[in-house]
Amino acid sequence: EHRSTSSPMTAILTALVVLGMMYLILQGILKPQWALLLVLSFLPLEQLLGSYLPLLARKSWITNVAVGLVAMFALGIEFLRGQKPMRGYFNTTWLLVFFLYVFTAFGIFWSPIPEAGKYFLRTGFPYYMLLLVILPGLIRDLENIRRFVVPFMVIGSAIIFFILNSPRTEIYAGRLFVDLSYSTGSSSDRASPLTTAELGGAILIVAALFKPSRFPKPILVLRIASIFAGMGIMVLSGTRGQLLFAVALSVAFFPVAYRIKSAAQFFLTSGAVGMMCGLFYLAIKVFFVSGESNDRWSAAGLSQGMSSRMYYATTMLGEYVGNPGALLGGLGSGAFNAYVDENSENFLYPHNLVIEVLTEHGLIGLGLLMGIFLTTGLAALRLFKHYREDPVYRPVLAILFALCAYVTLISLKQGSYALIPLPFYWYLVLAKIDNRVQSGTHTEYQGYEDLDSAEYGDGEYVSR
């Protein structure tokens, strides 16, 4: 059942949500790391605000426009400050991503259902601008990401807390949803649990890999709280992929974040990984509920989830291989809807980036995608070689790598790059940072002794 929307506690939470959003907007205008936080959290924020404020449930575009305007303003401030935020942005990875989207647009002309392709591009265009243009502009270097980490853990955990305590949050069919039907008038208007779970996984990765240079004990408490918040929302929302990916990547990239130079460090690192896994297990035990939630994590539930994805993939591959004329250019943008009938009111997609690109855009599209993967991977190797001896930026680099891997894995089981440009926006950030490092125009602190006074503030750092 829903909590009462007229209780004193709900009124207090609503006031806190409104005040918190006003604070985020003000900080986002003044500091790029806070604008970055808004951009990366705007979908869960849309659910959060809609669950407390009926007007924003009916007109969710207000939240999206507000976030977009704040991000554009923050980027404009960076230009006015002479920071040259787009330096390094135009590189080989960017060029390949650009051509992939251009080819996707042309794919409408030979699609058997062009209205689907037009819908994807028309709906996705604002997200292209926000995530492929503005977001990389807000990140000049690893220092920007390092300053983003603590606010992200705090605000991200707060978003999850307020969603969990929202009067419109409920468990339905074994999954946690934000039910907006009371405000929108649609009996089936439940917000997607995937977006909140995606935020939870990102918080978990950041909290697990972060290494503070100041206030280690308070930050440790924050990291533990963030891990529980991220695990909680992923378990309750029933999003199996996000949970498995986030936990696995947090463990896999731990050695990247913490270099092992001796046997003692090996045992300390192994102990830290063991404690982290223990926290993961404890959080799962705390947030698992009985009934339908457990069914989603059973062998039958996992098999059911995989079978639908396999059906999408095999159907589209069969249509693609059976049409020799489509080998180079693919079946066309949105072609999935011509061959797979799911009785849905909306246009659908294969739920797998590689399958979608290959079958709808052929070998040309696949070649562009493989080029994006290759250039991003090479950029990651160069960055690791550059920062492997750096005790401050190496953990930040591990976070960036893990987030790139995280969104890549997510793109292989849900969503469409033609709607939300997952995973390309993190690729463009990584490639831009590498480009700046290779050209010697990146920024970093002159001395690590300055980090203590600037880790959670504005700091002073210089171009190199």
Side-chain angles (χ1 to χ4, degrees):
E1 294 185 1
H2 289 295
R3 303 174 183 86
S4 172
T5 57
S6 59
S7 67
M9 180 56 68
T10 298
I12 292 172
L13 291 176
T14 302
L16 290 174
V17 167
V18 173
L19 291 172
M21 191 63 193
M22 292 172 62
Y23 176 79
L24 279 177
I25 290 174
L26 179 61
Q27 287 285 74
I29 292 173
L30 299 175
K31 300 175 183 177
Q33 65 266 30
W34 288 81
L36 174 63
L37 193 158
L38 277 171
V39 172
L40 291 174
S41 307
F42 76 96
L43 290 175
L45 271 174
E46 180 183 302
Q47 294 189 24
L48 171 64
L49 294 172
S51 69
Y52 283 94
L53 303 169
L55 172 64
L56 295 182
R58 293 189 295 269
K59 300 182 182 298
S60 59
W61 61 267
I62 295 176
T63 303
N64 296 337
V65 170
V67 170
L69 289 175
V70 170
M72 285 192 294
F73 198 91
L75 184 60
I77 292 295
E78 288 291 277
F79 277 107
L80 292 176
R81 289 172 175 168
Q83 298 290 354
K84 298 181 180 179
M86 304 308 291
R87 177 181 287 169
Y89 173 71
F90 299 101
N91 51 64
T92 306
T93 302
W94 175 88
L95 194 64
L96 291 169
V97 170
F98 174 77
F99 281 134
L100 178 60
Y101 277 94
V102 169
F103 195 68
T104 300
F106 277 103
I108 294 173
F109 293 106
W110 57 84
S111 172
I113 182 166
E115 56 268 27
K118 292 177 182 178
Y119 167 79
F120 288 145
L121 290 173
R122 183 175 62 250
T123 305
F125 183 76
Y127 301 115
Y128 306 162
M129 298 303 297
L130 182 66
L131 296 173
L132 296 180
V133 179
I134 297 176
L135 184 146
L138 296 172
I139 304 175
R140 294 189 303 276
D141 44 48
L142 293 181
E143 179 57 29
N144 283 132
I145 298 177
R146 192 180 69 87
R147 294 185 190 184
F148 158 79
V149 167
V150 171
F152 183 61
M153 286 191 288
V154 173
I155 302 302
S157 298
I159 290 172
I160 291 172
F161 170 81
F162 283 106
I163 286 177
L164 293 177
N165 288 278
S166 167
R168 297 306 184 199
T169 297
E170 64 174 11
I171 299 292
Y172 176 80
R175 308 185 75 172
L176 183 140
F177 287 89
V178 175
D179 186 358
L180 303 176
S181 60
Y182 286 81
S183 300
T184 62
S186 173
S187 60
S188 60
D189 196 353
R190 295 184 177 88
S192 171
L194 298 176
T195 57
T196 52
E198 187 176 327
L199 173 65
I203 292 172
L204 172 66
I205 288 170
V206 168
L209 298 177
F210 183 53
K211 181 181 179 182
S213 60
R214 194 183 184 199
F215 306 127
K217 291 182 180 179
I219 296 300
L220 177 61
V221 174
L222 173 61
R223 292 171 66 193
I224 293 173
S226 299
I227 287 173
F228 268 83
M231 292 289 291
I233 197 69
M234 286 189 288
V235 170
L236 292 173
S237 64
T239 46
R240 298 159 296 205
Q242 273 86 334
L243 178 60
L244 296 174
F245 298 155
V247 170
L249 292 171
S250 297
V251 174
F253 281 92
F254 206 83
V256 178
Y258 298 87
R259 186 180 182 186
I260 300 172
K261 296 182 179 180
S262 64
Q265 283 188 335
F266 171 78
F267 287 113
L268 284 173
T269 302
S270 299
V273 172
M275 290 180 62
M276 192 164 66
C277 292
L279 281 175
F280 296 160
Y281 177 76
L282 179 61
I284 288 176
K285 297 292 289 184
V286 168
F287 289 103
F288 251 125
V289 294
S290 60
E292 293 177 328
S293 293
N294 284 339
D295 292 341
R296 285 191 58 81
W297 295 89
S298 65
L302 292 170
S303 175
Q304 182 180 3
M306 293 180 63
S307 64
S308 63
R309 302 299 195 273
M310 289 297 297
Y311 166 69
Y312 294 158
T314 54
T315 300
M316 286 302 291
L317 286 171
E319 295 290 344
Y320 172 68
V321 173
N323 189 342
L327 289 180
L328 279 180
L331 299 168
S333 301
F336 178 85
N337 294 272
Y339 304 111
V340 178
D341 183 13
E342 288 288 291
N343 296 318
S344 174
E345 297 179 357
N346 301 315
F347 292 118
L348 297 177
Y349 35 81
H351 288 71
N352 183 293
L353 173 65
V354 175
I355 296 297
E356 181 177 8
V357 171
L358 173 61
T359 59
E360 294 193 354
H361 308 293
L363 295 178
I364 294 175
L366 183 65
L368 291 169
L369 181 63
M370 293 300 106
I372 293 168
F373 288 155
L374 177 62
T375 56
T376 304
L378 292 175
L381 287 174
R382 288 192 296 267
L383 282 175
F384 182 72
K385 290 179 180 178
H386 183 84
Y387 286 108
R388 65 186 304 172
E389 303 295 335
D390 193 313
V392 172
Y393 289 115
R394 180 167 168 156
V396 181
L397 191 63
I399 290 173
L400 177 58
F401 289 170
L403 289 175
C404 285
Y406 179 59
V407 292
T408 301
L409 292 173
I410 289 176
S411 73
L412 298 178
K413 68 99 176 174
Q414 74 183 50
S416 167
Y417 79 97
L419 287 173
I420 301 290
L422 199 75
F424 302 126
Y425 55 89
W426 276 121
Y427 291 2
L428 293 185
V429 169
L430 190 152
K432 174 186 172 181
I433 294 174
D434 171 65
N435 197 2
R436 291 173 67 100
V437 168
Q438 299 307 314
S439 64
T441 58
H442 63 298
T443 56
E444 42 183 62
Y445 278 88
Q446 290 178 309
Y448 293 133
E449 66 276 3
D450 297 329
L451 288 170
D452 287 344
S453 61
E455 179 155 9
Y456 312 115
D458 288 333
E460 293 293 336
Y461 55 103
V462 296
S463 296
R464 294 186 55 174

